[in-house]
């Protein structure tokens, strides 16, 4: 009596007598995957990969997915792309820089904001509904020749220093936090810097990724402290960071730096000390609450400015 012919469950035309050691379905050589014992089929291999728990850092970042700092690369690319755009069209700075409140006159010039109705003058800035400035300003930098916002010495160094800091800090922070948490930290730090500018110096236009980078500096400090590493070098780094914030106050927005530093610190503390069992939920909730607080502060400031 002849044995029944068995065929591959995925390729019925292929005769085979080898079965998956997990589900026992017959598989042809194209469907065989080496296993510790025998062979597994394609579906069983996929199922096994889904059931394997990925290694994560204490902050929740996936170890396997942070080997390449993709988000840091993208952020640097966006800043450089925006800078090239400024060189081609310098008007981008005045249109998208962080500005709390200002007036555009009939002559096309910008004037200091005053509450009230001034015929021929248009209210611009966050108070005028241009909320996007709270983030777009963090991706712009002063061009070599300066702009109506002023000019740093050797203007091009503005973006060079910021991108150098982003490259060095971003890779370390992204590796520990993971892509989603890292991106949320960066954007919230940028937003926090802009909000403090709006609260304290709403009539001053500012640009630069410094607020977000100061947030990364605070995150770097909290991460190392949470991991129990030797803090001597980290403390020296933070001291230099704070000294630079004081020195640069004479020609840069200290409000943006301080706002980014405080926001980044708050976000990373929430990341670092969230309970493990509810880590993702607590971390996400902290970010949402902080975002809501920042928005509320902007609303209150707008109300105060408009009387």
């Amino acid at each position: 009596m002849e044995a029944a012919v068995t065929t591959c469950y995925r390729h019925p035309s292929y005769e085979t007598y080898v079965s998956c050691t997990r589900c026992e379905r017959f598989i042809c050589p194209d469907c065989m995957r080496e296993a510790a014992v025998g062979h597994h089929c394609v579906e069983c291999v996929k199922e096994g990969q889904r059931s394997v728990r990925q290694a994560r850092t204490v902050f929740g970042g996936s170890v396997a997915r942070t080997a390449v700092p993709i988000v840091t690369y993208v952020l640097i690319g966006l800043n450089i792309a925006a800078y090239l755009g400024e060189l081609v069209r310098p008007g981008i700075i005045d249109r998208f820089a962080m500005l709390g409140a200002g007036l555009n006159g009939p002559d096309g010039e910008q004037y200091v904001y005053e509450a009230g109705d001034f015929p021929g003058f248009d209210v611009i800035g966050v108070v005028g509904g241009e909320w996007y400035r709270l983030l777009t300003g963090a991706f712009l930098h002063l061009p070599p020749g300066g702009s109506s916002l002023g000019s740093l010495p050797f203007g091009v160094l503005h973006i060079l220093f910021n991108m150098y800091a982003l490259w060095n800090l971003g890779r370390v922070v992204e590796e520990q936090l993971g892509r989603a948490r890292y991106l949320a930290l960066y954007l919230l730090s940028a937003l926090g810097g802009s909000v403090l500018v709006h609260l304290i110096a709403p009539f001053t236009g500012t640009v630069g990724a410094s607020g977000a980078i100061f947030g990364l500096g605070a995150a770097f400090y909290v991460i190392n402290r949470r991991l129990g590493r030797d803090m001597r070098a980290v403390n020296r780094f933070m001291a230099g960071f704070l000294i630079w914030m004081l020195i640069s106050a004479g020609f840069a927005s200290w409000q943006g730096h301080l706002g980014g530093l405080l926001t980044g610190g708050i976000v990373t503390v929430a990341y670092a000390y969230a309970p493990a069992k509810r880590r993702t939920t607590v971390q996400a909730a902290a970010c949402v609450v902080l975002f809501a607080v920042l928005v509320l502060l902007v609303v209150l400031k707008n109300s105060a400015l408009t009387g």
Side-chain angles (χ1 to χ4, degrees):
M1 185 175 180
E2 294 183 1
V5 176
T6 54
T7 60
C8 175
Y9 81 101
R10 295 178 71 224
H11 305 98
S13 62
Y14 201 108
E15 182 178 345
T16 181
Y17 296 95
V18 179
S19 62
C20 172
T21 55
R22 186 173 182 179
C23 68
E24 298 185 346
R25 289 180 292 190
F26 289 97
I27 49 179
C28 67
D30 288 340
C31 300
M32 293 179 188
R33 301 295 183 268
E34 290 287 343
V37 179
H39 299 83
H40 286 173
C41 65
V42 176
E43 277 73 13
C44 285
V45 170
K46 290 181 179 178
E47 183 63 30
Q49 290 174 341
R50 283 195 294 267
S51 63
V52 174
R53 189 172 183 179
Q54 291 185 343
R56 292 188 175 276
T57 68
V58 297
F59 308 95
S62 172
V63 174
R65 296 182 61 187
T66 55
V68 179
I70 292 178
V71 177
T72 298
Y73 291 153
V74 171
L75 290 172
I76 292 175
L78 289 174
N79 277 276
I80 293 175
Y83 192 72
L84 294 176
E86 295 171 25
L87 297 180
V88 176
R89 300 188 64 180
I92 288 176
I93 294 181
D94 293 332
R95 183 70 181 84
F96 294 99
M98 171 54 206
L99 177 65
L103 292 174
N104 260 354
D107 55 359
E109 296 294 325
Q110 287 190 12
Y111 295 87
V112 176
Y113 172 82
E114 288 187 19
D117 184 20
F118 299 93
F121 287 79
D122 297 319
V123 178
I124 60 173
V126 178
V127 75
E130 297 172 344
W131 284 61
Y132 55 83
R133 289 178 179 266
L134 292 166
L135 278 182
T136 56
F139 289 90
L140 301 175
H141 292 82
L142 292 175
S147 74
S148 62
L149 302 180
S151 177
L152 290 175
F154 309 105
V156 71
L157 294 180
H158 189 205
I159 187 171
L160 291 180
F161 283 153
N162 279 345
M163 292 305 98
Y164 177 74
L166 176 54
W167 168 249
N168 282 285
L169 282 171
R171 291 178 297 165
V172 177
V173 176
E174 183 176 354
E175 180 183 15
Q176 290 296 328
L177 300 186
R179 294 169 185 169
R181 292 173 179 82
Y182 170 66
L183 181 60
L185 165 72
Y186 187 92
L187 295 178
L188 282 171
S189 298
L191 180 62
S194 294
V195 169
L196 194 60
V197 170
H198 188 47
L199 294 177
I200 299 177
F203 310 130
T204 303
T206 62
V207 291
S210 303
I213 291 169
F214 268 80
L216 296 184
F220 178 72
Y221 178 84
V222 174
I223 286 171
N224 281 278
R225 192 171 186 82
R226 175 67 176 83
L227 295 176
R229 292 174 175 168
D230 186 349
M231 294 298 293
R232 286 175 293 183
V234 178
N235 289 335
R236 288 194 295 269
F237 164 79
M238 282 305 298
F241 231 48
L242 295 176
I243 291 172
W244 171 247
M245 185 170 68
L246 293 175
I247 294 175
S248 63
F251 54 84
S253 172
W254 65 266
Q255 299 92 342
H257 295 173
L258 180 60
L261 184 77
L262 295 175
T263 305
I266 293 171
V267 172
T268 314
V269 166
Y271 285 166
Y273 298 99
K277 291 184 178 180
R278 295 178 296 160
R279 180 170 53 199
T280 301
T281 302
V282 172
Q283 291 172 341
C287 289
V288 171
V289 170
L290 181 57
F291 176 77
V293 170
L294 293 175
V295 170
L296 178 61
L297 290 174
V298 173
V299 171
L300 294 176
K301 182 62 178 182
N302 284 352
S303 178
L305 288 172
T306 57

